[in-house]
Amino acid sequence: GAGVSQSPRYKVAKRGRDVALRCDSISGHVTLYWYRQTLGQGSEVLTYSQSDAQRDKSGRPSGRFSAERPERSVSTLKIQRTEQGDSAVYLCASSFSDGGTGGYTFGSGTRLTVV
Amino acid sequence: QQQVKQSPQSLIVQKGGISIINCAYENTAFDYFPWYQQFPGKGPALLIAIRPDVSEKKEGRFTISFNKSAKQFSLHIMDSQPGDSATYFCAASIEETSGSRLTFGEGTQLTVNP
């Protein structure tokens, strides 16, 4: 595709439930990141994966957050036992490089509200 | 621990004025400093970036000034336009083989009044 696509755009979850957020990255991009963006606090990386790794490397916070990469250009962020503090915008970004600093493309995000 | 601090949190500028956003970092290993522009409902988009071997980079109306000794860098938007109204994030990362993760500042909401 032409860009990074995330779904759903909005998600409301009851506290304690598990949620799954999807990211379709750009074909050919090898590194995929999940960031959490909170108003006034910027964005923090949650997890990322490189190349064909199916399991992501956890960033912060760990434990309840994990990501699967069933296909090279698809990732699913899973949040277990959601808490109200998990309410935020979750951004997916992909990069054409395995390392290095160039070529990040972000999706439009999924806004998660935990009630 | 906030490794990249950004200020101000919000900024209001008149059309034609200069918008200045500042960032300070702690980790001297950072070697890449991008600025991202984000419009409501959209993801951040790379605006301009600099590496620490230069003190200034200019692209059109956007300029990054970099002060390595002070561990500070700033974004200047010349001749600010209402279309520049957005949230701006500074970021920093380290080029490494295991995937370079961006460390973001808190963001600055810029409003340019007509």
Side-chain angles (χ1 to χ4, degrees):
Chain A
V4 176
S5 176
Q6 292 185 242
S7 60
R9 287 299 305 275
Y10 304 94
K11 176 73 177 177
V12 179
K14 286 189 176 181
R15 187 174 53 153
R17 295 288 181 91
D18 297 349
V19 298
L21 311 179
R22 179 184 169 107
C23 173
D24 290 84
S25 66
I26 297 172
S27 177
H29 278 199
V30 298
T31 308
L32 202 149
Y33 304 80
W34 282 98
Y35 286 85
R36 179 170 67 181
Q37 188 175 62
T38 309
L39 188 65
Q41 297 181 33
S43 306
E44 60 173 336
V45 65
L46 294 173
T47 181
Y48 67 99
S49 69
Q50 291 178 277
S51 300
D52 293 324
Q54 288 192 337
R55 297 294 301 201
D56 283 21
K57 304 176 184 181
S58 291
R60 294 180 298 171
S62 60
R64 296 187 298 107
F65 294 78
S66 64
E68 298 283 347
R69 197 166 174 180
E71 303 170 35
R72 188 161 179 149
S73 62
V74 177
S75 177
T76 302
L77 177 70
K78 297 183 178 180
I79 309 173
Q80 295 179 303
R81 304 180 302 281
T82 53
E83 303 171 356
Q84 286 194 315
D86 295 335
S87 296
V89 174
Y90 289 81
L91 294 168
C92 171
S94 67
S95 170
F96 56 76
S97 61
D98 246 349
T101 51
Y104 270 82
T105 301
F106 282 86
S108 296
T110 293
R111 180 175 294 278
L112 172 67
T113 303
V114 181
V115 297
Chain B
Q1 181 185 6
Q2 185 67 33
Q3 290 197 55
V4 179
K5 291 188 178 296
Q6 184 172 346
S7 63
Q9 191 172 24
S10 63
L11 180 62
I12 299 175
V13 174
Q14 290 298 119
K15 178 181 176 182
I18 302 174
S19 303
I20 301 174
I21 304 171
N22 301 299
C23 281
Y25 63 96
E26 297 174 6
N27 189 346
T28 55
F30 286 140
D31 57 7
Y32 179 69
F33 302 89
W35 283 89
Y36 283 81
Q37 180 188 56
Q38 185 174 18
F39 292 105
K42 301 292 185 182
L46 179 64
L47 187 63
I48 186 172
I50 197 168
R51 294 188 184 275
D53 53 344
V54 297
S55 61
E56 185 176 283
K57 183 173 182 180
K58 183 176 180 179
E59 290 183 3
R61 296 184 296 108
F62 301 91
T63 301
I64 298 179
S65 295
F66 186 82
N67 186 331
K68 189 174 182 178
S69 61
K71 293 188 288 185
Q72 295 175 346
F73 58 110
S74 60
L75 175 69
H76 295 232
I77 306 174
M78 311 299 288
D79 188 26
S80 300
Q81 300 296 312
D84 297 331
S85 297
T87 300
Y88 291 81
F89 293 95
C90 63
S93 68
I94 304 168
E95 186 165 6
E96 58 184 90
T97 57
S98 60
S100 53
R101 295 165 286 176
L102 290 170
T103 299
F104 283 92
E106 300 93 331
T108 296
Q109 189 164 348
L110 172 65
T111 302
V112 181
N113 289 327

